[in-house]
Amino acid sequence: MRGQILGVDVRSGDGLVAGEDGERYTFSPEDWAQHGEPSRGQLVDFEAAAGRARNVFPVPVAPAAAPLPAAAAPVPTTDRNKYIAAVLAFLFGIFGIHRFYLGRVTSGIIMAVLTFTVIGALVTVPLSIVDMVRYLVMSDRDFAARYGR
């Protein structure tokens, strides 16, 4: 019969099992047929005889199922090309044309306005070169995630 251990006296080792038939059965340490100690809540299999549980064995617990793999994140897509953006940054980067191409209108306008000042041109030239290198080094997935629509 199957049951569940309700409790075990730590001093004497005697315990109480609730059988699947609704009855309660006592057992002693001699009835425990496994190495180790019985514990409260443990599922067991036993032979019932005159209100006693004999040959009490723990029921093996099936290992938890392996977790299902997480669904792969959707691959981002974009209608923009990182190589075209890099060429635009190289040729017309000082005017911020590459930023307009990528949908970064505000920063494109700022770069275009800065170009008409000497100090602004000194800032936009290195910035456009940095943008070009960044586009070329960036993976397609990262580029699509950052500049996708």
Side-chain angles (χ1 to χ4, degrees), residues 2 5 8 21-22 42-43 47 51-53 74 87 98 102 104 107 114-116 121-122 125 127 129 134:
R2 297 273 172 126
I5 296 178
V8 179
D21 61 355
Q42 189 173 21
L43 296 176
E47 296 173 6
R52 295 215 25 105
V87 168
H98 62 290
L102 294 175
R104 307 288 197 222
S107 64
L114 283 176
T115 300
F116 295 112
L122 293 175
V125 169
L127 188 59
I129 292 171
R134 189 179 63 195

Side-chain angles (χ1 to χ4, degrees), residues 12-113:
S12 66
D14 293 335
L16 186 63
V17 176
E20 60 186 8
D21 61 355
E23 297 294 320
R24 294 182 179 193
Y25 302 90
T26 58
F27 67 92
S28 63
E30 296 81 33
D31 296 318
W32 184 249
Q34 184 74 19
H35 294 291
E37 300 290 321
S39 61
R40 192 173 128 223
Q42 189 173 21
L43 296 176
V44 292
D45 188 44
F46 63 94
E47 296 173 6
R52 295 215 25 105
R54 305 272 184 207
N55 297 325
V56 182
F57 287 92
V59 174
V61 178
L68 297 174
V75 178
T77 58
T78 182
D79 58 343
R80 305 292 183 220
N81 186 311
K82 72 178 189 175
Y83 300 109
I84 292 174
V87 168
L88 288 173
F90 180 72
L91 297 176
F92 307 108
I94 193 169
F95 302 109
I97 302 299
H98 62 290
R99 299 281 178 109
F100 288 105
Y101 172 73
L102 294 175
R104 307 288 197 222
V105 177
T106 304
S107 64
I109 291 172
I110 292 170
M111 284 183 79
V113 170

Side-chain angles (χ1 to χ4, degrees), residues 76-78 80 99 102-104 131 134-135 138-149:
T77 58
T78 182
R80 305 292 183 220
R99 299 281 178 109
L102 294 175
R104 307 288 197 222
D131 283 346
R134 189 179 63 195
Y135 301 150
M138 190 179 296
S139 71
D140 291 336
R141 182 184 200 103
D142 291 341
F143 183 84
R146 184 173 188 132
Y147 300 109
R149 296 193 181 225

